[in-house]
Amino acid sequence: MCIEAGCNAVYGGLKRWNARMNAQNFSVDEYKRLLAYSHHHGVKFYMTLNTLFKDDELKDIVKLFSDKDFIKPDAVIAADLGLISVISKKFPDVNIHASTQFGATSIHDINFLKNFNVKRVILARELTLHEIKEIRSRSDIQLEVFVYGSQCICFSGQCLWGGLTQERSGNRGRCSAPCRDFYECNGKIGHFLYHRDSNASRIVKVLEKCGIDSIKIEGRFRDSEQIASVVAALRTAIDNPLSGTNEKSSAGGDTYIGYLGDSIPVNGALSMLNPRTSLVQINDLECGSHDITAVIKSHNDITIN
């Protein structure tokens, strides 16, 4: 559905080694069919290997990628520095995209990753639009930015909450989302740490002006039709030269809010935990790009001929 809706690339994970281990991921055979299907439609496929890796797991990846019958993806999305180093040395023909889970937040992170032959950096979701512009102005590496999906209570790839309290680490692909539970604060009960999802479907030109190479959609736990509708909306907005040419909201003329609008995207939390901070709600963020990278949830979402 996402391919038909107009994305330029899709990403997904095998049944091991990715940041959404609770999602319906692919077997190796299913991955091969999906890769062929994507390429048949002129769409790239990026394999998510975006968790922290242990030694035995690194050996498994090397074995898989060394198999003569294995067809390598158009890129791997990696967060673990050991994995990035291994792929760079042993499989120099494989494009490496540094995952948002790596947590690249500065030009120094970008320059460091370039030493490992990283071709694209998916920036931390917590960067503001101002910070993204600064990084873009100081680097020629490909940059990708999330414009639709969840916002984490912690910086990308740095959450220890679930691992410490429930032995389910988000850094190992088993996030239990304790930040989305009910909590009591000042006598009230609510989802005080549950961020509003980001949604940049209306405005698509600002990041394009910044020189961002790709915008990215999150969604392995989302309904396939929802993801496809977001892809279609972004495709239409990107292809329409008259859409989203400024950084003002179409509703009331206010500047957009959320990280991309240099605000904190929290719903219901900070007004109680920090009285000096007002509540904000993300509805529309600045965005824009030449490419869209969408997510394929499972092999059941496509038809293999």
Side-chain angles (χ1 to χ4, degrees):
M1 295 179 67
C2 295
I3 291 175
E4 288 77 5
C7 63
N8 305 90
V10 295
Y11 66 99
L14 299 176
K15 292 189 180 296
R16 300 171 62 191
W17 314 308
N18 76 84
R20 294 292 186 273
M21 293 298 292
N22 295 325
Q24 185 176 1
N25 298 299
F26 305 106
S27 68
V28 174
D29 287 340
E30 290 166 347
Y31 154 74
K32 291 179 180 179
R33 294 200 299 271
L34 175 58
L35 183 67
Y37 181 84
S38 300
H39 287 176
H40 177 73
H41 289 273
V43 170
K44 295 180 179 180
F45 182 88
Y46 304 145
M47 178 184 289
T48 54
L49 299 173
N50 51 350
T51 62
L52 301 182
F53 274 71
K54 298 182 179 181
D55 284 335
D56 58 336
E57 295 167 331
L58 287 173
K59 293 177 182 177
D60 288 341
I61 288 294
V62 171
K63 182 179 179 180
L64 175 66
F65 276 58
S66 299
D67 189 320
K68 62 180 179 61
D69 294 325
F70 181 74
I71 304 174
K72 298 181 180 70
D74 295 289
V76 297
I77 301 175
D80 183 90
L81 188 56
L83 174 66
I84 291 173
S85 177
V86 166
I87 292 178
S88 176
K89 292 176 181 178
K90 292 186 176 295
F91 308 102
D93 58 324
V94 175
N95 291 322
I96 303 173
H97 294 179
S99 171
T100 188
Q101 290 295 108
F102 178 87
T105 58
S106 70
I107 187 62
H108 303 287
D109 292 331
I110 303 298
N111 291 337
F112 177 78
L113 287 167
K114 289 179 71 174
N115 294 326
F116 294 89
N117 200 34
V118 171
K119 301 300 184 184
R120 175 180 296 183
V121 176
I122 305 165
L123 294 173
R125 303 187 192 198
E126 298 75 24
L127 291 181
T128 65
L129 181 61
H130 173 78
E131 292 164 339
I132 292 171
K133 289 178 178 178
E134 179 65 19
I135 290 174
R136 175 73 291 168
S137 69
R138 298 174 64 185
S139 176
D140 60 356
I141 199 170
Q142 291 183 23
L143 296 179
E144 186 167 278
V145 176
F146 269 96
V147 296
Y148 185 89
S150 302
Q151 288 283 168
C152 184
I153 190 72
C154 299
F155 262 71
S156 301
Q158 304 299 317
C159 184
L160 303 177
W161 194 347
L164 289 172
T165 61
Q166 302 178 17
E167 298 183 352
R168 292 181 58 186
S169 172
N171 301 322
R172 292 279 291 163
R174 296 174 175 84
C175 176
S176 58
C179 55
R180 301 196 173 195
D181 292 339
F182 283 97
Y183 292 94
E184 182 177 352
C185 180
N186 295 336
K188 297 182 179 180
I189 297 176
H191 295 289
F192 300 133
L193 305 178
Y194 188 173
H195 292 183
R196 291 269 182 167
D197 288 351
S198 60
N199 183 349
S201 58
R202 291 188 184 179
I203 304 298
V204 296
K205 298 299 184 182
V206 175
L207 290 181
E208 184 176 23
K209 290 181 180 179
C210 299
I212 298 302
D213 298 280
S214 180
I215 56 176
K216 189 167 187 175
I217 299 166
E218 176 231 76
R220 271 180 280 178
F221 285 133
R222 298 177 186 272
D223 181 82
S224 299
E225 293 184 359
Q226 177 191 8
I227 300 170
S229 67
V230 174
V231 172
L234 287 169
R235 178 81 277 158
T236 299
I238 289 171
D239 294 342
N240 181 1
L242 300 179
S243 67
T245 57
N246 58 59
E247 301 181 22
K248 300 295 182 179
S249 166
S250 59
D254 297 328
T255 302
Y256 280 91
I257 56 180
Y259 282 115
L260 293 181
D262 298 330
S263 302
I264 300 177
V266 176
N267 175 42
L270 297 186
S271 63
M272 296 182 179
L273 302 179
N274 183 352
R276 293 174 299 177
T277 305
S278 61
L279 292 179
V280 297
Q281 175 180 341
I282 295 183
N283 284 324
D284 307 302
L285 305 181
E286 310 94 329
C287 76
S289 175
H290 297 292
D291 294 341
I292 304 174
T293 300
V295 60
I296 288 287
K297 291 181 62 180
S298 80
H299 63 286
N300 295 322
D301 296 330
I302 63 175
T303 301
I304 306 296
N305 295 321

